[in-house]
Amino acid sequence: MAALTDSFVARLCEWVRIPSIGVDPRHHADVHESAGWLRDRLREDGWPEVEVWDHGPALPAVFACWPAEDPRAPTVLVYGHHDVQPVDPVERWDHPPFEPVISGDELLGRGASDDKGQVAMHLLGLKAHLAATGRSAPAVTLKLFVEGEEESGSPHLRKLLEDHEDQLSCDLVVFTDTALHERDAPTVNTGQRGVLGAEVTFYGGTDDVHSGRAGGAIPNPATALAKLVAALHDDDHRVRLEGFYDDVREPTAQEREDYASLPFDEERWLANNGGGARATQGEPGYTTLERIWVRPTAEVNGISGGYTGPGFKTIIPASATAKISFRLVPDQHPDKVAVQLREFVREHTPPGIRSEVGLRGEGVPPYAIRPDDPANEAVVEAMSLAFDEPVRFARAGGSGPAALLQALAGVPLVYLGATLPDDRVHAPNERVVVPLLLKGAEAAAHLWRILAQADIAKRLTR
Amino acid sequence: MAALTDSFVARLCEWVRIPSIGVDPRHHADVHESAGWLRDRLREDGWPEVEVWDHGPALPAVFACWPAEDPRAPTVLVYGHHDVQPVDPVERWDHPPFEPVISGDELLGRGASDDKGQVAMHLLGLKAHLAATGRSAPAVTLKLFVEGEEESGSPHLRKLLEDHEDQLSCDLVVFTDTALHERDAPTVNTGQRGVLGAEVTFYGGTDDVHSGRAGGAIPNPATALAKLVAALHDDDHRVRLEGFYDDVREPTAQEREDYASLPFDEERWLANNGGGARATQGEPGYTTLERIWVRPTAEVNGISGGYTGPGFKTIIPASATAKISFRLVPDQHPDKVAVQLREFVREHTPPGIRSEVGLRGEGVPPYAIRPDDPANEAVVEAMSLAFDEPVRFARAGGSGPAALLQALAGVPLVYLGATLPDDRVHAPNERVVVPLLLKGAEAAAHLWRILAQADIAKRLTR
């Protein structure tokens, strides 16, 4: 196993050296190189079927399949991504982001945690699975799908999944792009919030107007927009779109109990996630973890209008714009929230103002698996074995393509992740804790074995 | 008079050719040239005392004095400015802005109306006065003060006035930088609103925060700021700073009657001043003209925070800023409103947010002269004679250094102006209506005569 570990770290370092920043066209060649690198490693490892899907405009994705010997064994599709976030502000990195450094049990570099580390973890997991069971093929049919556009919002994922529907068919999706709650509190993630981004613009006239000549006598689009934004939440920080909470699924008692039992240091959380915010704030009756995991939100991501440069310009702005995003939880749907938002904007557009609502694509639906789903119970068992202690439930506040994958595959989706929330993903000095990845690999090795057991296999494949 | 008119237009064209854009350092040499040009014309006209005040950092101002023969005659200080607004967007001018064009009875070019035309009007007015009365010196001691920084907000005016206190001493100030209500509705302006500019910033943490990881659980500075802006007005568009209306002086019944009797085409006003705004809006119980002339306001001039570029970035902004300006009416004072604003911001800063209030200098106090002030009655008489019809009262919604001049001189200040609100000052295709300037010159000629009459002179100089 020590040899496996050494080659695992060496490999991951090699991969991190490839600056596969998908959102930056100057790095698209690197995204191709990254896909090629992964393809070669999979072939090296003996995966019988390995392909790079490289049909523009999508950045290349890697697909691999290793059939089980038993044709009745379930098929599991593992999802991850090999594109990475940009590195700005690069001057705040202690080491160059694409020159990985080992420090204690950490590996530092862009993508080490998100998501190359976790994809590499699966390659190691399969080796460990084969070694432990003495098999020449996995106990389940394993499919690996590693996309190259996750950090860009997976704009071509739906098409890619549709184009390769047959190849991707499976009985279960394992989504590998979420974290443990804490190093000493291993958890199984059971869901992610969805997101709908919208841009609301209020127009007065065609030009800015001198505030001396007309101030006090015509509507001010910035003031009107501020009133709309102010009306978006009630005094309890609840979102005031009509019907917004109708479809919100409450977490189970077990989930709430688990969340409450997790270690949570508010000050440290604020320092890590609040950008130095001085206080938490949110819906009464819910803890901070519940507010970010199982409650929907509306947040202003940006607001602008009129003169915003240095000094002053006494104008009434011609227009003002707010970028607002809604985080959604099961069973909300972006389409329905979009309708609610349009209605809210209509109601809050005063006379003399024209409003426009632009949406960011179709939005990302939320997803959660029931904790007692047999597939999820298999993950809990595998994780408990690997971490040698009972694992608890957690959620993720962010969004990803889980719901899309689940809906298109038409099968359950579970989460397997072994990184940490303070891995500084999307930020300078990203790192991953190597021993956690090793445990994650062990969990995967257990999971394939557990899923092949007759009773769960039957339930998955029926 | 025809010869006087011809040379008047030729002179004004010459002056407009000098691009004295004071706010643009690349044009500071032109501001100097403009001051020199005016100095030379005043000497040409026989003003015995002419100076250019050119002590940096103030841009040059021109001062001239022509003493009356009778040492007991009142002293009148005429104020104007020779700097002009920038010309952007230059592509929307039908003619180059500094190549003046005569079209019908209009003269087009930057500064033709604001304020070179009105200063030139006074030079002509004095000539007419001397010609009509057969005198070799004006009936009152005339002082002319033409500054070069009005369009920059007169940042060094207080110092200039203090440095030249003796030279500027007078019994009355005539402020020449306001307009008639309409071509067919000559009016005497009796006041201008003041202004206080402020920048309110709300800070959350030091960095933007991922809205998935923390959304719903920490305060959003943009949302908090929107709530503050929304709270700035009640449903009747009244400003909600505590005590804001305490010092507001109501217009007289005569003034309100005059304002109501003035022609006012709302649609045309919106087209000219609303930048295409679709409706008027404001405090109930006041007309549009009253709302912009005699009522104070709070307007958001600009708002910004978070991500405002193309596309989306799902963050909670680290900070958000609103530039807000208050137009003030007598007897409000910027200092007092600044205190009220700071208190309002303090009250509307939620837990977890830090606020900062920055002010634009000391602000500009409002000013109004009582319609029945003897000096104002003299202006009304002079204007009625020149326009050959009774003139009514009006106000200006914008702000200027009138209150500063009045306060430092310690004497009444009256307004004499003959331009129009739709002269497109500060905008492309600025123009002035020449026959109105000629009437304004005639009014000035009458005014010097009227002010020298024993009874009013005694009241002014006592």
Side-chain angles (χ1 to χ4, degrees), chain B residues 392-453:
Chain B
R392 286 171 280 188
F393 296 126
R395 293 265 190 117
S399 307
L404 181 64
L405 283 159
Q406 189 275 327
L408 288 182
V411 298
L413 178 147
V414 293
Y415 293 89
L416 184 69
T419 55
L420 291 175
D422 49 4
D423 276 353
R424 299 183 290 274
V425 303
H426 298 211
N429 300 317
E430 177 175 347
R431 65 96 198 250
V432 74
V433 177
V434 175
L436 293 179
L437 288 187
L438 300 180
K439 287 195 179 176
E442 203 183 324
H446 284 299
L447 185 59
W448 311 147
R449 181 180 53 74
I450 294 165
L451 290 174
Q453 284 162 6

Side-chain angles (χ1 to χ4, degrees), chain B residues 117-138:
Chain B
Q118 304 220 76
V119 173
M121 173 187 94
H122 273 290
L123 271 56
L124 177 63
L126 179 57
K127 283 186 188 179
H129 171 72
L130 297 177
T133 58
R135 294 165 181 274
S136 58

Side-chain angles (χ1 to χ4, degrees), chain B residues 79-112:
Chain B
Y79 166 88
H81 65 90
H82 68 97
D83 58 319
V84 301
Q85 275 279 316
V87 295
D88 299 320
V90 72
E91 66 278 7
R92 280 168 59 185
W93 287 75
D94 297 332
H95 303 279
F98 297 108
E99 297 178 19
V101 168
I102 310 285
S103 169
D105 59 6
E106 299 183 359
L107 193 164
L108 290 116
R110 174 56 87 225

